[in-house]
């Protein structure tokens, strides 16, 4: 059983995917972390972010078992990740590892931008989670403030829109809902309501 969850940055895919994986006892992979880990390895080694061959080599070295959100959550890493994510050779390397993960038993939940369209096009359950850019920016702002940090809403809003443009505008695997994906707009929905909706979609497919 493979559950594919896609959507733009800060739509709530991560929280939703973790809860679904927990509910059904499935393995979960946040594929954004694979792009982030590749980007961080390049940044740490002082290597350029615009050399596809170098980035591809790093992508092959990513260990899916060692992905740690806490180490990879920094804003600069996310920005660098979305830059190298436009490179076909990087995507090929990471998609291969993600597909291998998707076959784990008893089932998997993968979340990202191209799971339902490219990584697992035959997944029996596909959910495209979205929310307006303003709502997503507000959620990210609240997260930072609640964690005791200081944040600038206008800057976050611009950042969310820029990330959307880059993810939706690239030629290789642009972010878009699969034709057979269930569209879940969480703009006016609580996490709990989104989870219950997702759960009923999965239950019908089981
Ligand atoms: O979701 P997250 O913000 O961690 O992803 C970081 C970047 O990795 C995204 O902006 C996107 O460009 C890229 N990504 C991707 N395909 C995926 C997951 C993430 O291109 N399946």
């Amino acid at each position: 059983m493979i559950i594919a969850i896609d959507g733009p940055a800060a739509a709530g895919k991560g929280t939703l995917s973790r809860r679904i994986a927990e509910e059904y006892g499935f393995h979960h992979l946040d594929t954004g972390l694979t792009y982030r880990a590749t980007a961080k390895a390049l940044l740490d080694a002082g290597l350029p972010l615009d050399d596809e061959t170098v980035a591809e080599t790093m992508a092959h070295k990513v260990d899916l078992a060692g992905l740690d959100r806490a180490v990879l959550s920094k804003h600069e890493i996310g920005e660098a990740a979305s830059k190298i994510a436009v490179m076909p050779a990087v995507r090929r390397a990471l998609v291969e590892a993600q597909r291998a993960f998707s076959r784990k038993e008893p089932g998997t939940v993968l979340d990202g931008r191209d799971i339902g369209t490219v990584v697992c096009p035959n997944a029996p359950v596909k959910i495209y989670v979205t929310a307006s850019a303003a709502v997503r920016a507000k959620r990210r702002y609240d997260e930072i403030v609640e964690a005791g940090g200081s944040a600038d809403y206008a800057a976050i809003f611009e950042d969310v829109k820029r990330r959307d443009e880059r993810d939706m505008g690239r030629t290789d695997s642009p972010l878009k809902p699969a034709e057979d994906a269930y569209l879940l707009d969480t703009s006016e929905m609580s996490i709990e309501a989104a989870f219950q909706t997702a759960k009923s979609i999965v239950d019908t497919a089981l």
Side-chain angles (χ1 to χ4, degrees):
M1 178 56 159
I2 301 174
I3 301 171
I5 301 188
D6 290 301
K13 311 183 289 290
T15 312
L16 192 63
S17 306
R18 273 191 299 281
R19 283 200 59 183
I20 294 175
E22 205 173 296
E23 174 78 17
Y24 296 94
F26 289 177
H27 304 277
H28 171 229
L29 178 64
D30 173 348
T31 61
L33 294 183
T34 65
Y35 290 89
R36 285 173 180 264
T38 307
K40 181 174 188 297
L42 290 167
L43 293 171
D44 287 352
L47 290 166
L49 292 172
D50 57 0
D51 185 324
E52 188 159 354
T53 313
V54 172
E56 180 190 7
T57 307
M58 283 302 188
H60 278 293
K61 291 184 189 162
V62 169
D63 172 16
L64 263 52
L67 298 172
D68 181 354
R69 162 181 308 276
V71 179
L72 299 169
S73 67
K74 273 212 214 110
H75 178 70
E76 305 81 73
I77 298 177
E79 275 292 302
S82 86
K83 284 182 190 148
I84 57 148
V86 304
M87 300 171 170
V90 169
R91 304 201 69 86
R92 270 196 304 275
L94 295 178
V95 165
E96 190 185 308
Q98 293 161 10
R99 280 194 187 129
F101 182 97
S102 75
R103 292 190 281 267
K104 284 187 169 203
E105 295 291 345
T108 50
V109 180
L110 275 77
D111 74 273
R113 305 289 193 285
D114 60 343
I115 310 304
T117 50
V118 175
V119 183
C120 304
N122 297 323
V125 178
K126 297 181 185 179
I127 304 174
Y128 188 87
V129 189
T130 186
S132 70
V135 166
R136 289 184 283 128
K138 176 72 168 57
R139 286 183 190 154
R140 186 146 280 177
Y141 172 88
D142 289 344
E143 245 170 51
I144 299 170
V145 172
E146 275 160 30
S150 66
D152 173 356
Y153 174 79
I156 295 175
F157 182 59
E158 285 311 312
D159 186 58
V160 162
K161 286 197 296 185
R162 203 171 46 237
R163 187 79 71 85
D164 283 357
E165 277 164 25
R166 205 179 282 150
D167 289 346
M168 294 174 185
R170 67 181 174 225
T171 6
D172 188 345
S173 317
L175 169 66
K176 61 166 187 226
E179 271 171 25
D180 51 350
Y182 182 96
L183 298 185
L184 185 58
D185 186 332
T186 67
S187 300
E188 285 166 34
M189 237 186 204
S190 65
I191 289 180
E192 184 55 30
F195 171 67
Q196 290 305 335
T197 309
K199 193 170 165 319
S200 63
I201 299 167
V202 178
D203 285 339
T204 353
L206 280 177

